[in-house]
Amino acid sequence: MTQPGGRRAGTARPTLADVAREAGVSTALVSIVMRGVPGASDATRARVQAVADGMGYVRDERARKLRQSSSRLIGVTFDLQQAFHGDLVEHLYGAAAARGYDLAISAVAPTRDEDVAIQALLRERCEVAVLLGSALDDAVLASTAQRVPLLLVARRSEVDGVSSVHSDDAGGVGLAVDHLVSLGHRRLVHVDGADAPGADDRRRGFALAVERHGLTSQAQIVPGGPTEHDGSRAAEALLYAPARPSAVVAFNDRCAAGVLDLLVRRQVDVPGDVSVVGYDDSRLAVGPHAQMSTISQNAAEMAEAAIDGALDLLDGGDPREVVLAPHLVARSTSGPASGTELLD
Amino acid sequence: MTQPGGRRAGTARPTLADVAREAGVSTALVSIVMRGVPGASDATRARVQAVADGMGYVRDERARKLRQSSSRLIGVTFDLQQAFHGDLVEHLYGAAAARGYDLAISAVAPTRDEDVAIQALLRERCEVAVLLGSALDDAVLASTAQRVPLLLVARRSEVDGVSSVHSDDAGGVGLAVDHLVSLGHRRLVHVDGADAPGADDRRRGFALAVERHGLTSQAQIVPGGPTEHDGSRAAEALLYAPARPSAVVAFNDRCAAGVLDLLVRRQVDVPGDVSVVGYDDSRLAVGPHAQMSTISQNAAEMAEAAIDGALDLLDGGDPREVVLAPHLVARSTSGPASGTELLD
DNA sequence: CGGCGAGGCCCCGGTCCCTTT
DNA sequence: CAAAGGGACCGGGGCCTCGCC
């Protein structure tokens, strides 16, 4: 009750000035100690540190970043429902911290638009924004890029001034096709991603790969989507098709999980009767359907590349496109084609 | 090039002062216009707004919150891998916004400890922290609560001064048991959550419920865990048990998904041979295993209660425990017991 | 007298109270 | 009294100065 002002007890957190008063030194000195920079004697340093710890002092990142010319803050938008985004965010934290940057994350969800998420980041004065799997159209991306340097992850960018980091989607699907063909499969199907980011490239990659193997006439692309439900529906339709495929390349792991679930449910043996390959190597791939064969995008590598690209943009580097090589992770949902398949 | 100082072109974002200079007014007036508060004529308001829009002005939330006595910021920690946390975060955004608060979210993941996530929130000077499914022990919670008001979601708190919002876990499992018993099931199994938050209560609820129905001797609790893998393993063990159960109550939806996957894979008919009930009603419940019967915690309601509780704590209210009533969502993984079951 | 430890002071970008026209 | 301006201030950071051994 030393203060006549009616401030709520316990609410106020100690500031540099509070610590300085308590320790009997200036705020500048406390600042020096808290930052661990030269300018204080060891004895003073220890004493001030002890006082700060005792008071539970935590520095105000807001005030600190306000004063500094550079906020050293990277904004990230991600989709709360996408498991792969979760993997990416986790590694983005690590990659940013390793370079002395903080992360401000802003979620996208059915009731929270991507624009809203980006506006929130702009108000936080992040120096660059990293958008995971953005669904914004080129016009919006272009106008956003004029307000803040922009880097897209897991999506290609046709937009001027926008960097991007994504895996070689067409090539990745090609790896899946190569793998299946080498196992003896001939009748291949691609359950596509409809209008999801990357779906075009994966469709194209599938078409190119089957052509390369001279299997175009036996191959098929069926409409799917990015969710388990889409995969299930597509698989159901395939079961009633005249010539049942012997191998399926799904748009992503979620889609593949839907395909797998329906096949297992219909007592189709995987990989005995049908092989299935997913895309992403998200946590789903090693989940309940344990050991899904899939194309891995390597979240850690992608996150590193994203932070590198973002900081390069900040340093005045030209926007650029980084294409990562995906690789095949053959687990237990893909196997040799059955005998009948080999006959045709 | 009006400034001789070598600042990087295009990097600097306009400030209030820039807008004021451009519009030929004071910063105070621009502030009034940007906040939409009384104190400016309509004509001036329109003119200043136009200038600000033209310059692409976005206010600096950091500076604003620094000046304001209250930061109106709620910190949230959540697990990137938990689908249910994603649902909660989405609704927390909405609930906080409805009360004029911002959210600062900080993720927890295998390589990012809960302590690290909380420290980040403290540096952002959030006024209260909402922890989703915290795994911190009581001692750490108690010491954290001394630095910032704390509210736990989806976990009970024994700690003094900490509020909590969670569903009635024991009661919820009771609902599942009642449902299954009413369908004629007698040999019930609970695949538990090991040491996950809430697992104790759900075990207890199961034991109480089967006792209430006089089925203790035929009931069983087997070790499980919070992941699909745990569910799968437990289900596998059950298939080799002497008396196969006719119904399973899983710790959560992920665990139930694992159980379901293994059963389907082993060609056990669900719900013909075995009924399965999950817990959470997360996105998984309506995912690939379409239409899982489960106990719903209603993320929207929980989020509302969490924000209410957090703000109440801020207003000086006493810490309190809010227990929400879970409810049964009977979908297609639970059905009548088979004939053999009814005989014993 | 040189160098190190420490303090004074303004600044970052808004907000808000008070004063002026 | 409404509209607009002036200036202190929130919590730290960084430059410059000063005292002292």
Side-chain angles (χ1 to χ4, degrees), chain A residues 25-26 28-29 39-41 44 66-67 125:
Chain A
V25 296
S26 71
L29 188 52
S41 64
T44 312
L66 175 60
R67 166 62 190 171
R125 276 294 185 273

Side-chain angles (χ1 to χ4, degrees), chain A:
Chain A
M1 296 304 156
T2 47
Q3 297 279 6
R7 76 158 181 226
R8 195 163 291 138
T11 296
R13 283 195 282 231
T15 70
L16 267 193
D18 295 328
V19 176
R21 197 179 313 117
E22 188 81 9
V25 296
S26 71
T27 59
L29 188 52
V30 179
S31 174
I32 284 169
V33 172
M34 298 315 295
R35 280 177 291 152
V37 298
S41 64
D42 287 349
T44 312
R45 198 175 290 274
R47 190 165 52 84
V48 170
Q49 187 68 57
V51 171
D53 289 347
M55 300 177 73
Y57 171 77
V58 178
R59 94 173 144 216
D60 187 331
E61 203 59 36
R62 197 182 305 124
R64 171 204 204 17
K65 286 192 190 305
L66 175 60
R67 166 62 190 171
Q68 290 177 329
S69 51
S70 147
S71 68
R72 296 189 81 80
L73 186 64
I74 298 174
V76 175
T77 65
F78 70 106
D79 190 327
L80 279 173
Q81 299 188 48
Q82 296 269 348
F84 186 59
H85 286 195
D87 292 348
L88 283 171
V89 169
E90 174 177 1
H91 291 104
L92 285 171
Y93 271 118
R99 289 163 183 73
Y101 275 75
D102 284 338
L103 229 56
I105 64 176
S106 186
V108 174
T111 58
R112 188 174 151 91
D113 282 351
E114 207 172 335
D115 314 77
V116 173
I118 292 176
Q119 279 301 317
L121 291 181
L122 288 179
R123 283 194 298 268
E124 295 298 324
R125 276 294 185 273
C126 61
E127 299 185 294
V128 52
V130 174
L131 312 185
L132 306 191
S134 172
L136 295 179
D137 62 44
D138 288 357
V140 177
L141 284 177
S143 76
T144 306
Q146 294 186 329
R147 314 173 96 82
V148 62
L150 227 49
L151 184 143
L152 266 41
V153 174
R155 175 182 162 181
R156 269 210 318 207
S157 160
E158 313 287 339
V159 182
D160 237 40
V162 176
S163 283
S164 71
V165 171
H166 62 93
S167 69
D168 176 4
D169 282 341
V173 171
L175 289 179
V177 170
D178 292 348
H179 168 61
L180 292 166
V181 169
S182 77
L183 286 168
H185 294 277
R186 295 294 177 267
R187 286 195 306 277
L188 306 180
V189 161
H190 173 50
V191 176
D192 79 3
D195 56 355
D200 279 338
D201 286 336
R202 295 189 193 171
R203 254 190 302 269
R204 189 166 49 78
F206 180 81
L208 283 174
V210 292
E211 184 177 350
R212 199 169 60 231
H213 289 287
L215 297 172
T216 301
S217 63
Q218 300 168 70
Q220 196 186 349
I221 295 180
V222 303
T227 70
E228 290 90 348
H229 187 67
D230 298 318
S232 272
R233 250 189 346 191
E236 180 132 47
L238 284 174
L239 287 183
Y240 294 117
R244 187 185 286 188
S246 83
V248 174
V249 178
F251 169 66
N252 67 5
D253 285 348
R254 290 185 69 187
C255 179
V259 170
L260 284 170
D261 188 67
L262 189 116
L263 292 179
V264 168
R265 198 173 285 273
R266 290 287 189 281
Q267 289 160 34
V268 174
D269 185 38
V270 176
D273 297 329
V274 175
S275 285
V276 176
V277 178
Y279 204 114
D280 275 353
D281 198 18
S282 64
R283 232 172 291 281
L284 272 180
V286 288
H289 312 280
Q291 319 304 7
M292 183 194 294
S293 295
T294 187
I295 302 300
S296 171
Q297 298 200 57
N298 195 339
E301 183 190 6
M302 219 171 212
E304 293 277 343
I307 297 296
D308 282 346
L311 296 190
D312 184 59
L313 218 45
L314 275 187
D315 286 345
D318 288 329
R320 62 177 183 201
E321 182 176 6
V322 174
V323 180
L324 267 40
H327 60 274
L328 173 77
V329 181
R331 297 205 183 89
S332 62
T333 57
S334 59
S338 60
T340 57
E341 170 73 11
L342 293 171
L343 292 181
D344 66 8

Side-chain angles (χ1 to χ4, degrees), chain B residues 33-160:
Chain B
V33 172
M34 298 316 293
R35 281 177 289 151
V37 297
S41 66
D42 288 349
T44 312
R45 199 175 289 276
R47 190 165 54 85
V48 169
Q49 187 68 56
V51 171
D53 289 347
M55 299 177 74
Y57 172 77
V58 178
R59 95 175 141 214
D60 187 330
E61 202 61 34
R62 188 169 295 118
R64 163 200 252 276
K65 287 192 190 306
L66 174 60
R67 166 61 206 201
Q68 290 176 326
S69 50
S70 146
S71 68
R72 298 189 79 79
L73 186 63
I74 298 174
V76 175
T77 64
F78 70 105
D79 189 327
L80 278 172
Q81 298 187 50
Q82 296 269 350
F84 186 59
H85 285 195
D87 293 347
L88 283 172
V89 169
E90 174 178 1
H91 291 105
L92 285 171
Y93 271 118
R99 289 163 183 72
Y101 275 73
D102 283 337
L103 228 57
I105 64 176
S106 185
V108 174
T111 58
R112 186 174 152 92
D113 283 350
E114 207 172 335
D115 315 77
V116 173
I118 293 175
Q119 280 301 318
L121 291 181
L122 288 179
R123 283 195 297 269
E124 295 297 324
R125 277 293 186 276
C126 61
E127 300 186 294
V128 52
V130 173
L131 313 184
L132 306 191
S134 173
L136 295 178
D137 63 43
D138 288 356
V140 177
L141 284 178
S143 77
T144 305
Q146 295 185 329
R147 312 171 98 83
V148 62
L150 227 51
L151 183 142
L152 266 41
V153 175
R155 175 182 163 183
R156 269 210 319 207
S157 160
E158 313 286 339
V159 182
D160 237 40

Side-chain angles (χ1 to χ4, degrees), chain B residues 174-243:
Chain B
L175 289 179
V177 170
D178 292 348
H179 168 62
L180 292 166
V181 169
S182 77
L183 286 169
H185 294 277
R186 295 293 175 267
R187 288 195 305 277
L188 306 181
V189 161
H190 173 49
V191 176
D192 80 2
D195 56 355
D200 279 338
D201 287 335
R202 296 188 193 171
R203 255 191 303 269
R204 189 166 50 77
F206 180 80
L208 283 173
V210 293
E211 185 176 350
R212 199 169 61 231
H213 289 288
L215 297 171
T216 300
S217 64
Q218 299 168 70
Q220 197 185 349
I221 295 180
V222 304
T227 70
E228 290 91 349
H229 187 66
D230 297 317
S232 272
R233 250 189 346 194
E236 181 131 46
L238 284 174
L239 288 181
Y240 294 116

